[in-house]
Amino acid sequence: MKKKPVKKILMIVCLSLLSFMIVFCVFVAIFWHNEISAILSIDRLVEAKEDNRSGPVYRMDVRGDYYFDEFIEQGGASNDGELIQFVVDNLTKGIIPIHMTPPDIGCSSFTCVDEDGTRYFGRNYDFDTSTAMIVRTNPGDGRYASISSVDLQFLGIKDGVPLDGIMQKFTCLAATYVPLDGINEAGVSCRIYMSYQGGEDAAVATDQNTDKPDLTSTTMLRLILDYAGSVDEAVALVRQYDLHDSANTSFHYMVADSTGRSAILEWVAATNETDTEGSRRVLKVYYNDEDAAIGEKEEADAFQYITNFIVTPGYYADAEEQKGLDRYDAIEQRINPDGGNPDGLMSKESALDVLEMVGRRRWEEQNEKSDSNSITVWSVLYDLTNKSVTWVSNEEFDNPDAVFTFDFSYLD
């Protein structure tokens, strides 16, 4: 006679647990659906390779909001700590800790156009063995979808390790906040480059302190990708914010659009030897059709190019202080070797050849030079006219398994 009440109690307990699990799952689906969708979309495209010290490459799709509107509305962030706190509070709901540690990087970029009028923007990202990720977003609410490249070392995932753990994948939710280059569906592309400002001792971060709202290095790039429909709109957006570079180092930017317009954005004060107070720096903008101040060849060339040194005239007393000057000159000479190609006419294949030429493995071998940025982690050629991307992992231009093409068809 006593067994029936026991069975009834067990049934009630089981039903209660089941109800709790259903409610919990509904709660998670409501508040984490975008995040869960992004995590489930993570796909490995390239495995790590010991023979050339290359790390793995992943792709992640982020559909829906990632709270960037709220980030802008709160006034952005004036340092990495504030950015991390916002990301943790919103994207991981305060559960998953995230660390941002930007590395010491080198890069090269240029614009060009082919005979059909297709505009290209090429970029090499130079560092060391890294875990890379291509992030495709579709935020909606009037913001542009974008395709961007991320070095997951910026999120504390170091040494080119695979994303084997769920905690690492949760950390990748913050990848939307740390793009290093990208293109949006309007045909606007932007990327950042380390500029090594601050004199002989150590780099000094730009740290403006006016009454404007604040952005860090990579969130400035995210601002452009999400909201800018042209180079002029990008520059206008940037002028509305104080820049606070990440990880006690300094960056400059280049932005281009499908019309052929491009611009280099730098924050400078005085000269390299005295530019040691980041709060004193002001924004300088050099458009591709208004860059005579930089030099005679820049004035003559309709295309633009950039590496890691500041192009602002008079900034350096010694050419040896201009990191990446050799690659800067090599790019210009390859595109316009005799002064007869000032428009930068070049096929897609030739543009990829330029990226391959200044890839760090080949560059160091041919020029007998070496530094800490001994690998080109990725090379990317953005087609600004057709809004597509050719992405090459670790200088493997001749390996079809390491070359990828992306476009915005995923929006369909």
Side-chain angles (χ1 to χ4, degrees), residues 354-372:
V354 175
L355 292 174
E356 186 174 12
M357 175 192 72
V358 291
R360 296 312 290 268
R361 293 176 178 88
R362 173 172 294 198
W363 184 259
E364 290 184 358
E365 180 181 345
Q366 294 185 348
N367 294 275
E368 298 181 352
K369 293 185 176 183
S370 179
D371 62 23
S372 60

Side-chain angles (χ1 to χ4, degrees), residues 20 44 224 325 388:
F20 173 79
R44 183 164 61 190
I224 292 171
L325 177 60
S388 64

Side-chain angles (χ1 to χ4, degrees), residues 221-391:
L221 197 151
R222 173 53 61 191
L223 176 83
I224 292 171
L225 292 178
D226 276 25
Y227 298 105
S230 66
V231 165
D232 290 337
E233 287 184 13
V235 173
L237 282 168
V238 169
R239 291 190 187 280
Q240 297 175 31
Y241 291 86
D242 281 344
L243 176 63
H244 305 272
D245 281 329
S246 298
N248 297 316
T249 191
S250 58
F251 297 90
H252 56 172
Y253 296 63
M254 187 169 168
V255 59
D257 64 29
S258 59
T259 70
R261 191 160 173 77
S262 64
I264 295 171
L265 284 65
E266 298 186 333
W267 287 257
V268 296
T271 66
N272 183 51
E273 295 178 352
T274 58
D275 189 8
T276 57
E277 188 176 339
S279 62
R280 295 180 56 199
R281 292 179 185 156
V282 295
L283 174 63
K284 304 287 186 181
V285 180
Y286 303 98
Y287 295 97
N288 61 316
D289 56 351
E290 300 174 16
D291 54 2
I294 300 176
E296 292 183 1
K297 64 181 180 181
E298 288 82 1
E299 180 183 14
D301 293 335
F303 60 99
Q304 273 190 314
Y305 33 98
I306 189 172
T307 55
N308 296 108
F309 68 92
I310 293 295
V311 302
T312 296
Y315 189 77
Y316 297 98
D318 190 341
E320 292 183 0
E321 299 174 351
Q322 301 178 51
K323 294 181 182 293
L325 177 60
D326 52 354
R327 287 176 284 121
Y328 182 85
D329 288 337
I331 290 170
E332 198 277 339
Q333 292 167 14
R334 181 65 172 267
I335 298 175
N336 188 18
D338 56 5
N341 187 28
D343 292 329
L345 286 173
M346 180 172 289
S347 68
K348 176 181 178 180
E349 292 72 23
S350 296
L352 289 170
D353 288 343
V354 175
L355 292 174
E356 186 174 12
M357 175 192 72
V358 291
R360 296 312 290 268
R361 293 176 178 88
R362 173 172 294 198
W363 184 259
E364 290 184 358
E365 180 181 345
Q366 294 185 348
N367 294 275
E368 298 181 352
K369 293 185 176 183
S370 179
D371 62 23
S372 60
N373 302 314
S374 58
I375 289 174
T376 294
V377 181
W378 67 74
S379 303
V380 58
L381 187 65
Y382 290 104
D383 181 335
L384 308 181
T385 302
N386 299 300
K387 286 78 172 178
S388 64
V389 182
T390 300
W391 205 97

Side-chain angles (χ1 to χ4, degrees), residues 80 84 99-104 152-158 247:
D80 289 343
I84 291 169
H99 305 282
M100 293 186 179
T101 54
D104 198 26
L152 293 180
Q153 293 206 54
F154 274 63
L155 301 179
I157 300 174
K158 299 183 177 182

Side-chain angles (χ1 to χ4, degrees), residues 27 47 49 57 82 102 132 165 182 197 207 210 223 240 313 336 390 399:
F27 175 84
E47 294 187 2
K49 301 174 184 176
V57 180
E82 291 181 5
Q197 296 166 251
D207 189 25
T210 71
L223 176 83
Q240 297 175 31
N336 188 18
T390 300
N399 178 6

